[in-house]
Amino acid sequence: MSQPIPSDSEFDIVFAGGGATACVVAGRLAAYDPSLRILILEAGQHTLNKHIHVQPYQYPLNQAPTSTTVTFHMGNPSPSLNGRAPIVPSGRCVGGGSCVNFMAYTRAPASDYDDWGVEGWESENLIPLMKKLETYEVQPDRPTHGYDGPIKVSSGGCKMGVADEFIQVGTTYHRRQYADDTNDLETCNTYSPWSKYINGTTGRRSDAAHNYVYNQAHNPNLQVWDGKRVKRIIFEDKRAVGVEFASDPVSCPDADQSSSIARASKLVVISAGAFGSPTILERSGIGAEAILKRCGIEQLVNLPGVGENYQDHNLVFVPYLAADEAVTMDALWRGDNILQESLAEWNSSGKSLIAQNGLDSKIKWRPDDEELNAMDPAFQPRWKEFFQDRPDKAVAIFSAFAGYAQPLSRPLSSILPPRSYMTAGYCTLYPVSIGSVHVNVTEDGKERMDFTTGFLDDPSDIVPLTFAYKKTREIFRRMASYRGEVAAGHPYFPEGSAAACREASGPVDLNAPDIVYTTEDDEAIDRFHRDIVQTTWHSLGTCAMKPEADQGVVDARLNVYGVSNLKVADMSISPLNVGTNTYSTALLIGERAAMIIAEELGITCI
């Protein structure tokens, strides 16, 4: 699958980037027509059977500061984040985000895709593809789920009691219903189990690399060259004919950095994600005139939408102390004795905490009238304009981690005593704020990224976070395993505050009064969120599939405007945000892109 590079490399299709969507498209096309000569160029390294990628419990290691399986993109300092420069990782390996993510199985409401308003991408056309890509092992005979696809979805290797506690308090104290499936493309505002991209039989992560590409190692025409960074697209009269690439300095620090060219006789597909795809286009002369001019790049096509429309979800982790007897991921992550027992069980049966991510429950939350009235009025216009008449759209996801989930800002794992923890996670799904991703050069002529997240720039975006902190804290206080707050991971409340964080001997009564927050407490929560809010690793939108006049970059068939033989296929094409963990959408875009390309090449889709 990886071979020495010949001096003159010619293929039918070349993929610039080897993340989740690229693996889906390339794998499907290779299966449809094994004679197609396909090349995937990926800056990161191979993931084949590596424990850090296939053993689900190891997912946090990919976010370690020394990790090379993700790229840490540093955003510009932002006044909305108290002057902080946010860090946003993205997958950097064969399979991309699908090999490093939290494996949380969520699907957007069908209406999200209808909202795109793009021909061929309506939900009625996409639902068959959603079903085609998955094997849903959780429940049989669900009409919107698939049962014969490459990607396995299960409940994981064992059940964790913290999730039951979260659901029990949510359906009583929080007065919401229970549903066993909130990923049926419409159900919302109910507590539910949280399924996972984990194979229920083998206990392995269900990623795009292993299930679309590595399983076709018998096909010599499907090539994956890892450690190769794409510099730019090669054009002849505005027709893409290949890519220029070099050894990646992180993956291959000792390799020759000189450039090579891979030629594509039929098509070049850029699939480098929300950061890589727009910057490859800009380095190739496609983008806004001012951006290219400042970098000394000759413009080929004036396309000012390239790199604009950056979107993400806003995530906060808040840690709590858990009872000693609570089953959490902490002992496993510390490497305690339980690790060897769990590995032995996983190797023999695919079960145990090894096949877990600690995330077993969630609610796709919408505020009721009482909650809306308790929220800052700055959210009201957004509620009325976007959410009020769309009952399938959640404002945020609330969840309970069985274990300490470390935030990218204010990490505490090195100072926390070895015990059991729980973490409240909440992320808003349709924030208003928009950012951008562009190439730039430093004073000494080196390339750098000019990245603005936009996080919390719109005043309505912080309001649901404030409510989520207060509500999830009330839920956790009532859970049987609750033993207090990890004060260092909460807002710094003023001395004497009723909201002060402390250790506790057990939960409060279900009917206990809620904490009353003062104006000073609310200010502390506001500061806390601006200090700690982070990416949900769901970057998208920077090569938007919209009309060119509306700052679009690609058309409905993923063609880049102004050139030929060049498509983009990854989360960067999403014109609007989607209310989901985005792996499901990345897979879906891959399936749709494979169908489009097969049609254009006259290949029958199996």
Side-chain angles (χ1 to χ4, degrees), residues 152-219:
K152 306 295 192 292
V153 179
S154 75
S155 301
C158 64
K159 204 165 181 209
M160 307 189 81
V162 165
D164 292 334
E165 295 175 24
F166 182 72
I167 290 171
Q168 191 266 326
V169 177
T171 52
T172 51
Y173 162 77
H174 196 199
R175 304 194 305 274
R176 294 299 197 275
Q177 298 295 308
Y178 171 85
D180 56 16
D181 180 20
T182 53
N183 290 308
D184 59 359
L185 313 179
E186 60 179 6
T187 300
C188 190
N189 215 16
T190 62
Y191 281 83
S192 69
W194 203 339
S195 304
K196 301 156 185 52
Y197 287 105
I198 294 174
N199 185 313
T201 304
T202 65
R204 289 166 60 112
R205 174 193 288 273
S206 198
D207 62 88
H210 287 83
N211 293 288
Y212 283 90
V213 172
Y214 288 141
N215 58 349
Q216 297 190 67
H218 54 276
N219 182 354

Side-chain angles (χ1 to χ4, degrees), residues 41 119 144-145 155 164 174 186 291 303 332 349 385 425 432 469 474 503 554 565 579 584:
L41 294 167
E119 186 180 353
T144 65
H145 289 290
S155 301
D164 292 334
H174 196 199
E186 60 179 6
I291 301 287
L303 208 54
L332 217 61
S349 69
E385 167 258 330
V432 178
Y469 172 80
E474 295 298 343
E503 197 161 341
V554 298
N565 268 47
S584 58

Side-chain angles (χ1 to χ4, degrees), residues 272-431:
F275 297 98
S277 291
T279 50
I280 288 172
L281 284 173
E282 288 178 339
R283 288 196 298 269
S284 307
I286 300 174
E289 185 177 7
I291 301 287
L292 302 182
K293 202 169 187 179
R294 75 184 183 190
C295 298
I297 299 170
E298 185 180 346
Q299 188 175 55
L300 181 71
V301 176
N302 182 38
L303 208 54
V306 172
E308 296 297 313
N309 193 48
Y310 174 84
Q311 299 183 56
D312 196 344
H313 299 136
N314 298 154
L315 172 67
V316 178
F317 289 140
V318 183
Y320 292 84
L321 303 168
D324 291 340
E325 62 271 18
V327 177
T328 71
M329 302 295 290
D330 298 296
L332 217 61
W333 288 338
R334 284 193 300 267
D336 292 358
N337 292 339
I338 190 177
L339 176 57
Q340 293 311 314
E341 302 164 30
S342 300
L343 280 169
E345 186 181 347
W346 182 79
N347 281 319
S348 65
S349 69
K351 304 299 181 189
S352 85
L353 286 173
I354 300 298
Q356 251 293 358
N357 59 2
L359 263 181
D360 273 355
S361 57
K362 70 175 185 300
I363 178 173
K364 294 178 177 179
W365 167 77
R366 286 171 60 84
D368 58 26
D369 290 344
E370 184 183 328
E371 292 172 336
L372 263 179
N373 290 334
M375 294 166 71
D376 188 297
F379 183 66
Q380 294 294 333
R382 176 63 171 163
W383 171 261
K384 287 174 179 160
E385 167 258 330
F386 185 78
F387 293 103
Q388 184 171 277
D389 299 324
R390 294 178 166 110
D392 58 340
K393 294 196 192 297
V395 173
I397 291 177
F398 301 169
S399 60
F401 272 90
Y404 172 66
Q406 176 145 299
L408 291 165
S409 298
R410 208 191 283 185
L412 302 172
S413 59
S414 61
I415 60 168
L416 289 179
R419 59 167 296 165
S420 294
Y421 297 90
M422 311 183 292
T423 304
Y426 46 91
C427 69
T428 48
L429 297 175
Y430 303 96

Side-chain angles (χ1 to χ4, degrees), residues 5 16 30-31 48 90 101 162 205 213 374 431 437 444 447 488 536 543:
I5 301 170
L48 181 63
S90 64
N101 65 20
V162 165
R205 174 193 288 273
V213 172
V437 174
D444 59 0
E447 185 187 321
T536 316
C543 296

